[in-house]
Amino acid sequence: DTEVTQTPKHLVMGMTNKKSLKCEQHMGHRAMYWYKQKAKKPPELMFVYSYEKLSINESVPSRFSPECPNSSLLNLHLHALQPEDSALYLCASSQDIKRYQPQHFGDGTRLSIL
Amino acid sequence: EDQVTQSPEALRLQEGESSSLNCSYTVSGLRGLFWYRQDPGKGPEFLFTLYSAGEEKEKERLKATLTKKESFLHITAPKPEDSATYLCAVQAGGNNRLAFGKGNQVVVIP
């Protein structure tokens, strides 16, 4: 079982809906990441949080809004998504962003936009 | 720009038939190379970290090696449960981003 927990596992939403993806880790990691993965492609980085502050935004559209309420939790708020946003959304964590330690991934949320 | 190329893209093996996966990279200042295993519908599962040329790591039937230009993931006497996509990623310079290869899709036939 992965030590990074993501909920929900599956989400179907319309283009006008607002929903949130949640990620939790209890490994004491201080860096957390959101990735998007399309079928048969590698993960693409979206956001990086370091010590609960947004460190990297890879020019992600504003319809994706990340939030890090504390060191164990990471949310991704979704609003007015497009069909091309359908993908597997992965959360990951690592000890911190400066020690070149491996990132540990959750099993993702499979998102479908109708 | 950091580049990671994995070959072969897809591989079918008979159970027990050992083989190797290749990950070649072009980066300035390698800080770490990571191997992950990903099963369909799941997130990548961390396997190994390699930091310097000559380093080797082993876990069950898997062995990862690193040179200055590439890494190999050797699968010895594979079993059907080793079927997965294996992802290679590098972290370079002062950049904390991972550059992923496209993966090696491995199918082991009983």
Side-chain angles (χ1 to χ4, degrees), chain B residues 48-58 63-66 74:
Chain B
F48 303 110
T49 306
L50 300 166
Y51 289 110
S52 56
E55 193 173 356
E56 298 182 354
K57 295 275 180 73
E58 264 186 275
K63 179 179 178 180
T65 62
L66 181 65
H74 307 279

Side-chain angles (χ1 to χ4, degrees), chain A residues 35 37 40 42-43 45 48 56 58 88 90 97 100-107, chain B residues 31 34 36 38 41-44 46 49 51 91 93-94 96-98 100-101 105:
Chain A
Y35 287 85
Q37 187 176 29
K40 307 258 185 219
L45 184 66
V48 180
I56 293 175
E58 292 282 26
L88 182 67
L90 295 164
I97 64 173
Y100 309 108
Q101 294 294 315
Q103 295 177 23
H104 296 268
F105 288 81
D107 278 338
Chain B
R31 293 289 189 243
F34 307 93
Y36 290 88
Q38 187 170 24
K42 300 280 190 179
F46 169 68
T49 306
Y51 289 110
Q91 205 165 44
N96 62 310
R97 293 170 177 80
L98 287 179
F100 281 91
Q105 185 178 14

Side-chain angles (χ1 to χ4, degrees), chain A residues 51-104:
Chain A
Y51 288 82
E52 297 137 60
K53 287 187 168 48
L54 184 63
S55 175
I56 293 175
N57 176 343
E58 292 282 26
S59 303
V60 178
S62 60
R63 57 185 184 268
F64 295 91
S65 175
E67 178 195 20
C68 190
N70 61 55
S71 60
S72 300
L73 292 173
L74 187 65
N75 298 322
L76 187 62
H77 303 297
L78 314 172
H79 174 56
L81 295 194
Q82 304 297 308
E84 60 265 28
D85 297 322
S86 297
L88 182 67
Y89 287 84
L90 295 164
C91 173
S93 70
S94 68
Q95 194 168 359
D96 68 42
I97 64 173
K98 292 185 178 179
R99 295 190 190 181
Y100 309 108
Q101 294 294 315
Q103 295 177 23
H104 296 268

